Amino acid sequence: MPYKFIDGVVVADITFEASGDTLEELFESSANAVTNAMIDKLERIEAKEERKITLEAETEEKLLHKFLDEILFYKDADNIVFSKYKIKIKEKKAAHGCDERSNFILECIAKGEEIDNAKHTVLTDVKAVSWHMFKFEKGKQWKVQVVLDV
Amino acid sequence: MESKKPELKKITDYIWEIDPSYKDGMKVPGRIYSSKKLLGQMDTHVYDQLTNVATLPGIIDYAFCMPDGHSGYGFPIGGVAAFDSNDGVISPGGIGFDINCGMRLVRTNLTIHDVKPKIRELVNTLFANIPAGVGGKSKTRFSKDEFKKIIELGSRWCVEKGYGWEEDIERTEMNGSVEYADSAAVSEKAISRGFNQVGTLGSGNHYLEIQHVKEENLVDKELAKKWGLFPDQIVVMFHCGSRGFGHQVATDYLELFLQVMESKYKMKVLDRELACAPFQSKEGQDYFKAMNCAVNMGFANRQLILHGIRQGFAQIFGKSAEELEMHQIYDICHNRASLEKHEVHGKTKELIVHRKGATGAFGPGRIEVPPLYRNDGQPILIGGSMETGSWLLAGTEEAKQTWYTTAHGSGRVMSRAQATRTYRGDQLQRDMEKKRNLHKGCFSERFGRRSRRCI
């Protein structure tokens, strides 16, 4: 699942680009990027515990932003970081009078373990997923650029 | 998306102005307080972000940028703006994700000669007493109900529970307990994210430093003496904020403001991170109440850390913290918005002043300055880099021109990736140990990836 950290976008913070052939792949690579900003060597995070994440948003872009916020929530609330994801994203059409709107629903099982300083190399903390220069593109592939507040 | 560099009109040697004609929608000029040298080092996004701030509804006089300004989200770090509390806006992007990120300074009666022989032991003890790093959990467990009291009462709650001295309260900005804090405005998610982090330092640019007061750096010797400083003294300075709780409050309300700003309040901004709401609207007031809870959390967090520092020193030096005269000098916040009365064109007005990576610097006589320091001006804590030292300053009447605000001590000359390429954490740590025995990589993470700090 490809993602890479890029330099020079925001001097003080961390920026990554991620992509995926499917929306689910994009979400997984983006979540891995967020975790990898905090923890080196994701392969050392074992799938010992799981959390079920269900989210809904008006657009795919907002859904991704919310999903990445969840990664940070569990890092602080439960001290857990994830390395494996099973993600399903569905579009739900809902009629509001004459106006037909879509909502996107994510269901995810995220697997990982508690941060263990003896085992995991902690790099830095991520405070928030910003909207600053957040670029979300749907072309041949799904692509995103995200700036993380650290 | 980078705009053309604006023309910077020199007002004085240290004030540079961007005219409102630079960008459509600018209501006021942008003003950067900086020497020419520092100005040359500022990243160009600062100009774009500062001039975006100048377009916000109800902004008064200027969008300011402090000398250590660098690009942030919405506002630049170092950005300052005031809005009329009746018809202006409040914007989470003018406060930052780390609400009440701030500094605290505590003195001792020890000298470098007392501390040097025990430095490693002391550092290890402080490291054990004060949880740090990603996932650092509070040594003291609080229930969610207790946490709700903490975020409404701040340092006051901690002192009442025995985590500090009564005098700490009057030596903390706003007595460590701000009004308009209502836990009902805070999401359950924010509480779950932060209730186990009270008394933890965190990670990234947050740090705790044992510092040495050098005689040659005591510029105003009389005031230094009055405030309890003397040559070769050991003091402790630390920097942290409201942790995951504040981050979640900011995240929650940014999302809410993005939903209502255009649809309900017909306001458009140039950057999503500048999302705002009228200060007097329900959403604006709710955010203000929730943000103030995070301000209180920041004060409480630093209060518990101070408690851990006092315990650590007492343990290592075999004397009580009282015997070691470990009086707090001051605690100051550099990420918040507050209601303040200022003179605007000859009239006193109530303003909602946003300071993001900028420190309050109230002059002598102002009500915001605690009685202990009122004749001298508000103490200002500016964290410097580990190599160049930090500063304790006093606010002056001259700061009136920036709503009594000054720098907070960050600045960036190198990106994270550049720094990682340029410095090796372990080598930097060894070099620093060679140069100055006092520094040990107590929070090694800080050396691991970073060699500079910012907000």
Side-chain angles (χ1 to χ4, degrees):
Chain A
M1 297 303 147
Y3 62 86
K4 62 175 181 184
F5 294 103
I6 53 174
D7 197 13
V9 179
V10 176
V11 180
D13 290 300
I14 294 179
T15 306
F16 71 83
E17 283 175 352
S19 59
D21 289 335
T22 64
L23 202 49
E24 285 82 357
E25 275 183 20
L26 175 79
F27 275 51
E28 184 170 347
S29 37
S30 302
N32 280 332
V34 170
T35 307
N36 197 196
M38 300 187 283
I39 310 275
D40 200 14
K41 299 189 176 73
L42 292 186
E43 63 276 11
R44 289 196 194 158
I45 301 172
E46 292 180 69
K48 288 182 177 172
E49 289 189 51
E50 65 177 46
R51 294 290 182 276
K52 197 176 169 190
I53 300 169
T54 307
L55 299 167
E56 190 168 339
E58 297 148 32
T59 62
E60 295 107 319
E61 182 189 34
K62 285 183 182 168
L63 191 68
L64 175 62
H65 197 277
K66 270 190 171 180
F67 178 58
L68 299 181
D69 276 342
E70 288 295 299
I71 306 299
L72 301 182
F73 171 76
Y74 284 109
K75 174 263 301 175
D76 283 325
D78 294 347
N79 203 20
I80 282 184
V81 283
F82 305 111
S83 57
K84 303 262 185 309
Y85 300 90
K86 203 180 270 179
I87 299 172
K88 273 187 203 162
I89 298 167
K90 287 183 291 188
E91 191 177 349
K92 183 178 83 174
K93 289 200 187 309
H96 296 266
C98 303
D99 182 20
E100 193 176 270
R101 285 188 209 164
S102 291
N103 260 359
F104 293 87
I105 295 171
L106 169 137
E107 282 177 1
C108 168
I109 293 172
K111 292 185 179 179
E113 64 175 322
E114 275 203 36
I115 299 167
D116 173 356
N117 280 309
K119 179 176 169 185
H120 305 125
T121 309
V122 177
L123 301 169
T124 192
D125 197 8
V126 175
K127 295 173 189 168
V129 179
S130 85
W131 279 110
H132 182 65
M133 301 179 91
F134 194 96
K135 287 182 200 158
F136 188 87
E137 289 169 26
K138 183 183 177 181
K140 274 186 184 171
Q141 269 201 319
W142 295 87
K143 283 185 184 168
V144 73
Q145 173 183 287
V146 182
V147 178
L148 302 172
D149 187 13
V150 297
Chain B
M1 192 172 56
E2 200 171 322
S3 312
K4 66 181 194 313
K5 193 176 169 182
E7 192 188 325
L8 295 163
K9 187 180 162 195
K10 184 175 170 179
I11 306 294
T12 71
D13 283 349
Y14 299 98
I15 303 176
W16 307 84
E17 190 168 299
I18 306 172
D19 192 80
S21 61
Y22 169 68
K23 186 181 277 183
D24 282 349
M26 276 177 73
K27 296 177 171 61
V28 294
R31 275 200 168 188
I32 301 173
Y33 281 72
S34 171
S35 65
K36 202 169 181 184
K37 188 179 171 193
L38 280 174
L39 195 68
Q41 291 175 356
M42 272 183 195
D43 64 293
T44 50
H45 294 295
V46 170
Y47 307 126
D48 201 30
Q49 294 182 342
L50 186 66
T51 50
N52 285 346
V53 172
T55 68
L56 288 175
I59 184 165
I60 294 177
D61 285 355
Y62 299 99
F64 291 113
C65 181
M66 296 295 113
D68 49 352
H70 56 273
S71 60
Y73 321 116
F75 279 51
I77 312 290
V80 180
F83 303 85
D84 192 302
S85 65
N86 287 317
D87 52 16
V89 295
I90 186 165
S91 172
I95 293 148
F97 285 104
D98 198 1
I99 300 166
N100 194 2
C101 190
M103 313 286 306
R104 192 173 283 218
L105 177 65
V106 56
R107 60 186 167 99
T108 71
N109 60 12
L110 299 166
T111 67
I112 189 160
H113 312 293
D114 302 318
V115 173
K116 227 172 176 177
K118 294 188 171 179
I119 186 66
R120 283 179 195 279
E121 214 183 325
L122 177 63
V123 165
N124 289 337
T125 304
L126 292 179
F127 191 71
N129 278 8
I130 301 152
V134 178
K137 278 193 175 156
S138 180
K139 291 264 171 201
T140 319
R141 304 293 291 180
F142 300 108
S143 69
K144 287 187 179 176
D145 282 341
E146 279 175 313
F147 185 71
K148 286 180 186 172
K149 289 180 193 155
I150 293 174
I151 61 179
E152 289 186 347
L153 298 170
S155 296
R156 164 62 57 199
W157 188 92
C158 304
V159 170
E160 279 171 9
K161 295 286 173 188
Y163 301 108
W165 302 351
E166 187 61 34
E167 65 170 48
D168 298 343
I169 299 284
E170 66 204 45
R171 292 159 187 246
T172 302
E173 195 176 27
M174 296 173 290
N175 291 322
S177 178
V178 287
E179 289 180 286
Y180 311 109
D182 182 357
S183 62
V186 168
S187 71
E188 202 46 46
K189 196 170 181 180
I191 289 170
S192 298
R193 192 168 162 187
F195 83 105
N196 58 16
Q197 292 183 327
V198 191
T200 66
L201 197 56
S203 169
N205 52 27
H206 295 149
Y207 63 90
L208 184 153
E209 238 169 36
I210 300 166
Q211 300 178 336
H212 168 200
V213 178
K214 291 189 169 175
E215 184 164 19
E216 63 268 31
N217 293 337
L218 291 172
V219 178
D220 184 339
K221 290 187 168 50
E222 205 178 309
L223 187 62
K225 192 177 172 190
K226 190 174 171 190
W227 286 7
L229 295 178
F230 58 85
D232 278 344
Q233 182 182 18
I234 291 299
V235 298
V236 181
M237 185 182 272
F238 57 100
H239 173 228
C240 60
S242 53
R243 309 280 285 111
F245 174 68
H247 308 165
Q248 192 64 42
V249 167
T251 298
D252 289 344
Y253 278 93
L254 182 60
E255 193 186 329
L256 176 68
F257 282 18
L258 282 169
Q259 279 169 27
V260 298
M261 181 176 54
E262 273 191 66
S263 61
K264 196 168 169 185
Y265 298 111
K266 314 296 174 211
M267 292 190 299
K268 278 192 176 177
V269 288
L270 294 172
D271 175 349
R272 278 188 283 195
E273 290 280 345
L274 277 181
C276 56
F279 181 62
Q280 294 298 349
S281 67
K282 176 168 185 339
E283 292 83 359
Q285 287 294 298
D286 283 349
Y287 171 61
F288 190 54
K289 289 171 194 164
M291 183 210 65
N292 281 327
C293 285
V295 170
N296 284 337
M297 160 63 180
F299 286 135
N301 193 28
R302 294 196 287 273
Q303 186 64 46
L304 255 78
I305 291 173
L306 172 61
H307 183 66
I309 294 169
R310 284 176 174 152
Q311 283 184 326
F313 271 76
Q315 193 180 325
I316 296 303
F317 294 97
K319 288 180 179 175
S320 70
E322 287 82 358
E323 285 171 317
L324 292 167
E325 297 177 69
M326 295 187 73
H327 299 284
Q328 176 175 315
I329 292 181
Y330 204 55
D331 177 303
I332 200 159
C333 161
H334 48 232
N335 276 10
R336 70 181 162 108
S338 60
L339 272 176
E340 295 164 13
K341 287 198 168 74
H342 290 273
E343 197 182 303
V344 181
H345 311 143
K347 285 184 183 166
T348 301
K349 281 195 167 182
E350 187 183 56
L351 306 180
I352 177 85
V353 183
H354 293 58
R355 295 186 180 90
K356 180 183 186 179
T359 307
F362 290 94
R366 283 281 307 205
I367 193 161
E368 291 84 355
V369 186
L372 182 66
Y373 299 114
R374 198 162 289 160
N375 289 337
D376 307 319
Q378 182 176 19
I380 301 159
L381 309 177
I382 308 266
S385 76
M386 289 179 276
E387 291 281 88
T388 54
S390 300
W391 289 90
L392 170 65
L393 309 168
T396 65
E397 187 55 22
E398 213 180 334
K400 191 178 181 177
Q401 57 190 296
T402 53
W403 315 122
Y404 294 100
T405 310
T406 189
H408 76 310
S410 78
R412 281 269 165 176
V413 293
M414 203 179 273
S415 76
R416 200 168 290 276
Q418 267 177 302
T420 312
R421 279 196 298 270
T422 313
Y423 300 106
R424 276 182 53 99
D426 50 354
Q427 185 60 46
L428 181 67
Q429 189 169 348
R430 278 198 295 275
D431 289 350
M432 291 189 70
E433 281 195 39
K434 255 189 236 168
K435 276 193 223 169
R436 305 170 67 174
N437 288 335
L438 198 61
H439 280 286
K440 178 179 181 287
C442 66
F443 301 137
S444 58
E445 195 184 318
R446 189 161 168 235
F447 292 94
R449 193 148 169 171
R450 320 184 53 135
S451 52
R452 280 178 191 275
R453 72 172 73 101
C454 77
I455 180 90

